[in-house]
mmCIF file of all heavy atoms in Angstrom:
data_model
loop_
_atom_site.group_PDB
_atom_site.id
_atom_site.type_symbol
_atom_site.label_atom_id
_atom_site.label_comp_id
_atom_site.label_asym_id
_atom_site.label_seq_id
_atom_site.Cartn_x
_atom_site.Cartn_y
_atom_site.Cartn_z
ATOM 1 N N THR A 1 -26.801 -30.254 38.237
ATOM 2 C CA THR A 1 -27.248 -31.080 37.131
ATOM 3 C C THR A 1 -27.602 -32.494 37.594
ATOM 4 O O THR A 1 -26.805 -33.120 38.307
ATOM 5 C CB THR A 1 -26.226 -31.082 36.006
ATOM 6 O OG1 THR A 1 -25.850 -29.757 35.619
ATOM 7 C CG2 THR A 1 -26.801 -31.849 34.774
ATOM 8 N N ILE A 2 -28.700 -32.999 37.122
ATOM 9 C CA ILE A 2 -29.112 -34.377 37.370
ATOM 10 C C ILE A 2 -28.794 -35.231 36.185
ATOM 11 O O ILE A 2 -29.006 -34.851 35.058
ATOM 12 C CB ILE A 2 -30.599 -34.439 37.723
ATOM 13 C CG1 ILE A 2 -30.878 -33.750 39.082
ATOM 14 C CG2 ILE A 2 -31.079 -35.892 37.863
ATOM 15 C CD1 ILE A 2 -32.381 -33.617 39.393
ATOM 16 N N LEU A 3 -28.307 -36.464 36.440
ATOM 17 C CA LEU A 3 -28.116 -37.450 35.396
ATOM 18 C C LEU A 3 -29.094 -38.593 35.690
ATOM 19 O O LEU A 3 -29.041 -39.219 36.776
ATOM 20 C CB LEU A 3 -26.697 -37.977 35.370
ATOM 21 C CG LEU A 3 -26.423 -39.140 34.395
ATOM 22 C CD1 LEU A 3 -26.587 -38.725 32.942
ATOM 23 C CD2 LEU A 3 -25.043 -39.761 34.611
ATOM 24 N N ALA A 4 -29.991 -38.921 34.739
ATOM 25 C CA ALA A 4 -30.972 -39.964 34.899
ATOM 26 C C ALA A 4 -30.589 -41.092 33.927
ATOM 27 O O ALA A 4 -30.419 -40.808 32.672
ATOM 28 C CB ALA A 4 -32.344 -39.416 34.591
ATOM 29 N N LYS A 5 -30.527 -42.287 34.437
ATOM 30 C CA LYS A 5 -30.329 -43.493 33.577
ATOM 31 C C LYS A 5 -31.679 -44.225 33.492
ATOM 32 O O LYS A 5 -32.218 -44.570 34.572
ATOM 33 C CB LYS A 5 -29.235 -44.370 34.127
ATOM 34 C CG LYS A 5 -27.888 -43.629 34.121
ATOM 35 C CD LYS A 5 -26.749 -44.607 34.588
ATOM 36 C CE LYS A 5 -25.422 -43.865 34.629
ATOM 37 N NZ LYS A 5 -24.286 -44.766 34.977
ATOM 38 N N VAL A 6 -32.185 -44.472 32.287
ATOM 39 C CA VAL A 6 -33.542 -44.917 32.132
ATOM 40 C C VAL A 6 -33.673 -46.031 31.138
ATOM 41 O O VAL A 6 -32.765 -46.219 30.309
ATOM 42 C CB VAL A 6 -34.499 -43.803 31.695
ATOM 43 C CG1 VAL A 6 -34.407 -42.564 32.608
ATOM 44 C CG2 VAL A 6 -34.165 -43.352 30.208
ATOM 45 N N HIS A 7 -34.739 -46.790 31.277
ATOM 46 C CA HIS A 7 -35.175 -47.679 30.204
ATOM 47 C C HIS A 7 -36.100 -46.906 29.282
ATOM 48 O O HIS A 7 -37.220 -46.601 29.751
ATOM 49 C CB HIS A 7 -35.867 -48.950 30.831
ATOM 50 C CG HIS A 7 -36.314 -49.932 29.790
ATOM 51 N ND1 HIS A 7 -35.954 -51.211 29.848
ATOM 52 C CD2 HIS A 7 -37.143 -49.819 28.755
ATOM 53 C CE1 HIS A 7 -36.479 -51.914 28.793
ATOM 54 N NE2 HIS A 7 -37.235 -51.068 28.157
ATOM 55 N N GLN A 8 -35.670 -46.654 28.129
ATOM 56 C CA GLN A 8 -36.485 -45.844 27.170
ATOM 57 C C GLN A 8 -37.395 -46.752 26.374
ATOM 58 O O GLN A 8 -36.903 -47.686 25.682
ATOM 59 C CB GLN A 8 -35.528 -45.086 26.235
ATOM 60 C CG GLN A 8 -36.277 -44.312 25.179
ATOM 61 C CD GLN A 8 -37.106 -43.153 25.686
ATOM 62 O OE1 GLN A 8 -36.515 -42.263 26.347
ATOM 63 N NE2 GLN A 8 -38.312 -43.145 25.410
ATOM 64 N N VAL A 9 -38.702 -46.518 26.400
ATOM 65 C CA VAL A 9 -39.639 -47.164 25.545
ATOM 66 C C VAL A 9 -39.830 -46.299 24.323
ATOM 67 O O VAL A 9 -40.122 -45.103 24.366
ATOM 68 C CB VAL A 9 -40.974 -47.342 26.247
ATOM 69 C CG1 VAL A 9 -41.991 -47.979 25.313
ATOM 70 C CG2 VAL A 9 -40.823 -48.242 27.473
ATOM 71 N N GLY A 10 -39.597 -46.957 23.154
ATOM 72 C CA GLY A 10 -39.771 -46.183 21.910
ATOM 73 C C GLY A 10 -38.682 -45.186 21.777
ATOM 74 O O GLY A 10 -37.519 -45.382 22.103
ATOM 75 N N ALA A 11 -39.024 -43.994 21.204
ATOM 76 C CA ALA A 11 -38.015 -42.923 20.903
ATOM 77 C C ALA A 11 -38.114 -41.865 21.991
ATOM 78 O O ALA A 11 -39.179 -41.535 22.515
ATOM 79 C CB ALA A 11 -38.308 -42.311 19.539
ATOM 80 N N ALA A 12 -36.937 -41.315 22.265
ATOM 81 C CA ALA A 12 -36.896 -40.163 23.233
ATOM 82 C C ALA A 12 -37.264 -38.830 22.544
ATOM 83 O O ALA A 12 -37.803 -37.955 23.198
ATOM 84 C CB ALA A 12 -35.537 -40.095 23.884
ATOM 85 N N CYS A 13 -36.958 -38.692 21.285
ATOM 86 C CA CYS A 13 -37.129 -37.424 20.600
ATOM 87 C C CYS A 13 -38.487 -37.357 19.975
ATOM 88 O O CYS A 13 -39.036 -38.326 19.453
ATOM 89 C CB CYS A 13 -36.021 -37.271 19.523
ATOM 90 S SG CYS A 13 -36.108 -35.614 18.731
ATOM 91 N N HIS A 14 -39.069 -36.110 19.986
ATOM 92 C CA HIS A 14 -40.422 -35.928 19.378
ATOM 93 C C HIS A 14 -40.398 -36.102 17.880
ATOM 94 O O HIS A 14 -41.443 -36.298 17.229
ATOM 95 C CB HIS A 14 -40.949 -34.549 19.722
ATOM 96 C CG HIS A 14 -40.228 -33.424 19.045
ATOM 97 N ND1 HIS A 14 -38.975 -32.990 19.424
ATOM 98 C CD2 HIS A 14 -40.601 -32.660 17.916
ATOM 99 C CE1 HIS A 14 -38.614 -31.982 18.586
ATOM 100 N NE2 HIS A 14 -39.526 -31.786 17.720
ATOM 101 N N THR A 15 -39.179 -36.075 17.247
ATOM 102 C CA THR A 15 -39.069 -36.281 15.828
ATOM 103 C C THR A 15 -39.222 -37.728 15.425
ATOM 104 O O THR A 15 -39.286 -38.052 14.293
ATOM 105 C CB THR A 15 -37.702 -35.775 15.329
ATOM 106 O OG1 THR A 15 -36.625 -36.534 15.886
ATOM 107 C CG2 THR A 15 -37.514 -34.275 15.679
ATOM 108 N N GLY A 16 -39.124 -38.652 16.418
ATOM 109 C CA GLY A 16 -39.124 -40.063 16.112
ATOM 110 C C GLY A 16 -37.740 -40.700 16.210
ATOM 111 O O GLY A 16 -37.624 -41.887 16.169
ATOM 112 N N GLU A 17 -36.707 -39.842 16.301
ATOM 113 C CA GLU A 17 -35.319 -40.358 16.530
ATOM 114 C C GLU A 17 -35.206 -40.895 17.899
ATOM 115 O O GLU A 17 -35.818 -40.400 18.846
ATOM 116 C CB GLU A 17 -34.282 -39.250 16.240
ATOM 117 C CG GLU A 17 -34.238 -38.770 14.840
ATOM 118 C CD GLU A 17 -33.575 -39.746 13.880
ATOM 119 O OE1 GLU A 17 -32.880 -40.672 14.361
ATOM 120 O OE2 GLU A 17 -33.735 -39.617 12.666
ATOM 121 N N TYR A 18 -34.355 -41.918 18.119
ATOM 122 C CA TYR A 18 -34.242 -42.486 19.428
ATOM 123 C C TYR A 18 -33.648 -41.486 20.414
ATOM 124 O O TYR A 18 -34.062 -41.407 21.546
ATOM 125 C CB TYR A 18 -33.291 -43.768 19.348
ATOM 126 C CG TYR A 18 -33.245 -44.470 20.637
ATOM 127 C CD1 TYR A 18 -34.340 -45.093 21.203
ATOM 128 C CD2 TYR A 18 -32.023 -44.545 21.377
ATOM 129 C CE1 TYR A 18 -34.266 -45.776 22.430
ATOM 130 C CE2 TYR A 18 -31.949 -45.215 22.566
ATOM 131 C CZ TYR A 18 -33.057 -45.836 23.127
ATOM 132 O OH TYR A 18 -32.983 -46.468 24.275
ATOM 133 N N SER A 19 -32.589 -40.720 19.919
ATOM 134 C CA SER A 19 -32.022 -39.702 20.827
ATOM 135 C C SER A 19 -32.254 -38.373 20.193
ATOM 136 O O SER A 19 -32.304 -38.221 18.967
ATOM 137 C CB SER A 19 -30.512 -39.938 20.959
ATOM 138 O OG SER A 19 -29.843 -38.805 21.525
ATOM 139 N N CYS A 20 -32.384 -37.354 21.051
ATOM 140 C CA CYS A 20 -32.510 -35.943 20.478
ATOM 141 C C CYS A 20 -31.210 -35.455 19.876
ATOM 142 O O CYS A 20 -31.220 -34.512 19.102
ATOM 143 C CB CYS A 20 -32.902 -35.030 21.668
ATOM 144 S SG CYS A 20 -34.541 -35.319 22.331
ATOM 145 N N PHE A 21 -30.092 -36.136 20.236
ATOM 146 C CA PHE A 21 -28.750 -35.630 19.757
ATOM 147 C C PHE A 21 -28.374 -36.439 18.503
ATOM 148 O O PHE A 21 -27.364 -37.158 18.486
ATOM 149 C CB PHE A 21 -27.733 -35.785 20.850
ATOM 150 C CG PHE A 21 -28.062 -34.925 22.029
ATOM 151 C CD1 PHE A 21 -28.744 -35.423 23.130
ATOM 152 C CD2 PHE A 21 -27.639 -33.585 22.098
ATOM 153 C CE1 PHE A 21 -29.046 -34.673 24.195
ATOM 154 C CE2 PHE A 21 -27.876 -32.831 23.249
ATOM 155 C CZ PHE A 21 -28.624 -33.350 24.277
ATOM 156 N N PHE A 22 -29.108 -36.269 17.397
ATOM 157 C CA PHE A 22 -28.842 -37.008 16.211
ATOM 158 C C PHE A 22 -28.179 -36.172 15.146
ATOM 159 O O PHE A 22 -27.828 -36.686 14.055
ATOM 160 C CB PHE A 22 -30.138 -37.674 15.655
ATOM 161 C CG PHE A 22 -31.210 -36.635 15.306
ATOM 162 C CD1 PHE A 22 -31.269 -36.062 14.088
ATOM 163 C CD2 PHE A 22 -32.178 -36.337 16.245
ATOM 164 C CE1 PHE A 22 -32.300 -35.157 13.755
ATOM 165 C CE2 PHE A 22 -33.189 -35.484 15.961
ATOM 166 C CZ PHE A 22 -33.244 -34.877 14.683
ATOM 167 N N THR A 23 -28.102 -34.867 15.356
ATOM 168 C CA THR A 23 -27.481 -33.997 14.349
ATOM 169 C C THR A 23 -25.948 -33.838 14.588
ATOM 170 O O THR A 23 -25.547 -33.257 15.614
ATOM 171 C CB THR A 23 -28.110 -32.594 14.387
ATOM 172 O OG1 THR A 23 -29.495 -32.720 14.121
ATOM 173 C CG2 THR A 23 -27.520 -31.680 13.267
ATOM 174 N N GLU A 24 -25.173 -34.430 13.702
ATOM 175 C CA GLU A 24 -23.691 -34.373 13.874
ATOM 176 C C GLU A 24 -23.222 -33.023 13.421
ATOM 177 O O GLU A 24 -23.450 -32.609 12.292
ATOM 178 C CB GLU A 24 -23.052 -35.535 13.110
ATOM 179 C CG GLU A 24 -21.576 -35.570 13.327
ATOM 180 C CD GLU A 24 -20.926 -36.727 12.574
ATOM 181 O OE1 GLU A 24 -21.340 -37.915 12.857
ATOM 182 O OE2 GLU A 24 -20.045 -36.498 11.717
ATOM 183 N N LEU A 25 -22.493 -32.324 14.264
ATOM 184 C CA LEU A 25 -21.944 -31.017 13.910
ATOM 185 C C LEU A 25 -20.493 -31.084 13.465
ATOM 186 O O LEU A 25 -20.088 -30.358 12.545
ATOM 187 C CB LEU A 25 -22.041 -30.073 15.137
ATOM 188 C CG LEU A 25 -23.505 -29.800 15.650
ATOM 189 C CD1 LEU A 25 -23.487 -28.883 16.871
ATOM 190 C CD2 LEU A 25 -24.262 -29.115 14.535
ATOM 191 N N ALA A 26 -19.682 -31.898 14.102
ATOM 192 C CA ALA A 26 -18.275 -32.028 13.757
ATOM 193 C C ALA A 26 -17.763 -33.358 14.303
ATOM 194 O O ALA A 26 -18.269 -33.888 15.316
ATOM 195 C CB ALA A 26 -17.443 -30.894 14.372
ATOM 196 N N LYS A 27 -16.776 -33.921 13.621
ATOM 197 C CA LYS A 27 -16.237 -35.225 14.037
ATOM 198 C C LYS A 27 -14.817 -35.409 13.539
ATOM 199 O O LYS A 27 -14.522 -35.027 12.365
ATOM 200 C CB LYS A 27 -17.111 -36.396 13.576
ATOM 201 C CG LYS A 27 -16.672 -37.744 14.028
ATOM 202 C CD LYS A 27 -17.606 -38.824 13.550
ATOM 203 C CE LYS A 27 -17.129 -40.210 14.013
ATOM 204 N NZ LYS A 27 -18.029 -41.290 13.540
ATOM 205 N N ARG A 28 -13.986 -35.917 14.349
ATOM 206 C CA ARG A 28 -12.625 -36.258 13.948
ATOM 207 C C ARG A 28 -12.418 -37.764 14.103
ATOM 208 O O ARG A 28 -12.828 -38.340 15.084
ATOM 209 C CB ARG A 28 -11.621 -35.504 14.847
ATOM 210 C CG ARG A 28 -10.173 -35.643 14.399
ATOM 211 C CD ARG A 28 -9.266 -34.818 15.317
ATOM 212 N NE ARG A 28 -7.882 -34.822 14.904
ATOM 213 C CZ ARG A 28 -6.991 -35.768 15.246
ATOM 214 N NH1 ARG A 28 -7.385 -36.738 16.119
ATOM 215 N NH2 ARG A 28 -5.750 -35.749 14.865
ATOM 216 N N ASP A 29 -11.816 -38.343 13.081
ATOM 217 C CA ASP A 29 -11.588 -39.832 13.168
ATOM 218 C C ASP A 29 -10.690 -40.158 14.317
ATOM 219 O O ASP A 29 -9.719 -39.407 14.639
ATOM 220 C CB ASP A 29 -10.942 -40.321 11.835
ATOM 221 C CG ASP A 29 -11.893 -40.280 10.674
ATOM 222 O OD1 ASP A 29 -13.089 -40.264 10.966
ATOM 223 O OD2 ASP A 29 -11.477 -40.270 9.564
ATOM 224 N N TYR A 30 -10.999 -41.239 15.003
ATOM 225 C CA TYR A 30 -10.221 -41.757 16.131
ATOM 226 C C TYR A 30 -10.390 -43.206 16.255
ATOM 227 O O TYR A 30 -11.315 -43.752 15.734
ATOM 228 C CB TYR A 30 -10.579 -40.994 17.402
ATOM 229 C CG TYR A 30 -11.981 -41.226 17.808
ATOM 230 C CD1 TYR A 30 -12.389 -42.215 18.722
ATOM 231 C CD2 TYR A 30 -13.033 -40.353 17.355
ATOM 232 C CE1 TYR A 30 -13.719 -42.413 19.075
ATOM 233 C CE2 TYR A 30 -14.343 -40.524 17.670
ATOM 234 C CZ TYR A 30 -14.715 -41.559 18.560
ATOM 235 O OH TYR A 30 -16.022 -41.781 18.925
ATOM 236 N N ILE A 31 -9.412 -43.814 16.990
ATOM 237 C CA ILE A 31 -9.560 -45.283 17.284
ATOM 238 C C ILE A 31 -10.345 -45.513 18.543
ATOM 239 O O ILE A 31 -9.953 -45.035 19.644
ATOM 240 C CB ILE A 31 -8.186 -45.899 17.420
ATOM 241 C CG1 ILE A 31 -7.347 -45.741 16.085
ATOM 242 C CG2 ILE A 31 -8.295 -47.392 17.789
ATOM 243 C CD1 ILE A 31 -5.931 -46.228 16.215
ATOM 244 N N ASP A 32 -11.490 -46.129 18.382
ATOM 245 C CA ASP A 32 -12.369 -46.445 19.525
ATOM 246 C C ASP A 32 -11.981 -47.762 20.139
ATOM 247 O O ASP A 32 -12.058 -48.817 19.494
ATOM 248 C CB ASP A 32 -13.800 -46.445 19.074
ATOM 249 C CG ASP A 32 -14.784 -46.574 20.223
ATOM 250 O OD1 ASP A 32 -14.345 -46.728 21.368
ATOM 251 O OD2 ASP A 32 -15.990 -46.682 19.949
ATOM 252 N N THR A 33 -11.494 -47.726 21.415
ATOM 253 C CA THR A 33 -11.153 -48.958 22.121
ATOM 254 C C THR A 33 -12.123 -49.302 23.247
ATOM 255 O O THR A 33 -11.803 -50.146 24.066
ATOM 256 C CB THR A 33 -9.730 -48.840 22.718
ATOM 257 O OG1 THR A 33 -9.688 -47.758 23.598
ATOM 258 C CG2 THR A 33 -8.681 -48.685 21.597
#
């Protein structure tokens, strides 16, 4: 697997969202430090 770190111009997703991973499936509250 390759990991690419990029300067994104505009949106990455064809839907117009910045990231393709915008659909939240599940989440548990936690303290972000």
Side-chain angles (χ1 to χ4, degrees):
T1 305
I2 294 172
L3 174 66
K5 298 184 179 184
V6 304
H7 181 123
Q8 175 70 57
V9 175
C13 185
H14 71 283
T15 65
E17 294 286 343
Y18 186 64
S19 167
C20 293
F21 297 93
F22 59 87
T23 302
E24 184 178 300
L25 298 177
K27 183 178 180 180
R28 185 176 185 274
D29 289 339
Y30 61 93
I31 297 175
D32 185 0
T33 58

